[in-house]
Amino acid sequence: MERWKIGDGHLFIREGDITTLDVDCIVNAANSRLRGGGGVDGAIHRAAGQDELQAACRDIIADIGSLTPGQAVITPGFALPARHIIHTAGPIWHGGSQGEAEHLARCYRASMELAKAHGLATIAFPAISCGIYGYPEAEAARIALTAIRRGLLDGLVSEAMMVLHGPQSFHSWTEAARDVL
Ligand code: AR6
């Protein structure tokens, strides 16, 4: 695990399974209809309790229709050690000319703003869009870390953690951190 002090807060980069973390909130790399799916979304659903989490997601979708690009919404964590789940849908990678970078940055920013609005001080992120949605990891890491740095400087949260699945991802993100932070 690596750690940086930023403003009054800290950024951690670590390898692991985000569903095991005891934090105020974890972020789910969801789809815009909150339908559940594979990747980290599937892991979060299994660990939180599929039925309860899907029921909460259906209520949100009944209210708002679908998530707009970069929007974030919140549910309880149910059976997770984390108290809440913040759901945001990252961009699908189409080569970079369709606003993907701005959309991705907004996912991180909106998640931290929502955490702040709910009085949540510790947040853990997966590498949003870096799996099924195909975002190149080094580029995604630079965007994410820049957004998280700004959020910490703005006092949106006091601890932000990037949780990477596997040693290769961990390596890309710590490399990017040396450039960005
Ligand atoms: N803990 C931390 N990171 C994980 C975990 C885990 N338990 N499991 C996977 N990852 P992805 P996306 C990493 O595909 O690209 C879903 O079907 C994974 O290695 O989960 O945003 C949704 O419903 C990768 O680095 O999300 C959407 O339809 C990162 O999490 C779609 O996939 C994100 O990969 C979203 O695709």
Side-chain angles (χ1 to χ4, degrees), residues 16 39 41-43 47 66 86 101 113 116 134 143 145 148 152:
D41 194 1
S66 67
I86 288 178
E113 285 175 347
K116 166 99 175 162
I143 292 162
L145 294 171
I148 292 173
L152 286 164

Side-chain angles (χ1 to χ4, degrees), residues 117-131:
H118 285 263
L120 309 177
T122 57
I123 189 166
F125 288 100
I128 299 168
S129 287
C130 292

Side-chain angles (χ1 to χ4, degrees), residues 2-23:
E2 304 235 9
R3 177 177 187 260
W4 289 262
K5 179 155 174 56
I6 299 175
D8 292 331
H10 289 95
L11 166 63
F12 299 84
I13 300 184
R14 58 168 286 178
E15 203 187 323
D17 174 0
I18 201 168
T19 64
T20 64
L21 296 183
D22 181 4
V23 287

Side-chain angles (χ1 to χ4, degrees), residues 6 9-12 24-28 70-74 85-88 104-125 128 143-162:
I6 299 175
H10 289 95
L11 166 63
F12 299 84
D24 291 334
C25 54
I26 65 170
V27 175
N28 182 17
Q71 186 180 6
V73 296
I74 191 165
I85 308 166
I86 288 178
H87 306 260
T88 189
L104 186 63
R106 277 216 306 275
C107 289
Y108 285 90
R109 180 75 188 186
S111 298
M112 291 182 284
E113 285 175 347
L114 191 58
K116 166 99 175 162
H118 285 263
L120 309 177
T122 57
I123 189 166
F125 288 100
I128 299 168
I143 292 162
L145 294 171
T146 303
I148 292 173
R149 179 176 175 277
R150 188 73 255 162
L152 286 164
L153 289 172
D154 292 345
L156 296 180
V157 292
S158 62
E159 280 188 12
M161 191 177 288
M162 276 305 314

Side-chain angles (χ1 to χ4, degrees), residues 37-96:
V40 73
D41 194 1
I44 289 173
H45 272 79
R46 285 190 296 278
Q50 188 85 26
D51 293 350
E52 275 179 297
L53 180 51
Q54 263 306 295
C57 288
R58 272 196 304 276
D59 286 349
I60 291 171
I61 291 303
D63 236 27
I64 66 172
S66 67
L67 262 64
T68 55
Q71 186 180 6
V73 296
I74 191 165
T75 64
F78 299 108
L80 290 174
R83 265 73 71 202
H84 297 85
I85 308 166
I86 288 178
H87 306 260
T88 189
I92 298 171
W93 178 253
H94 291 293

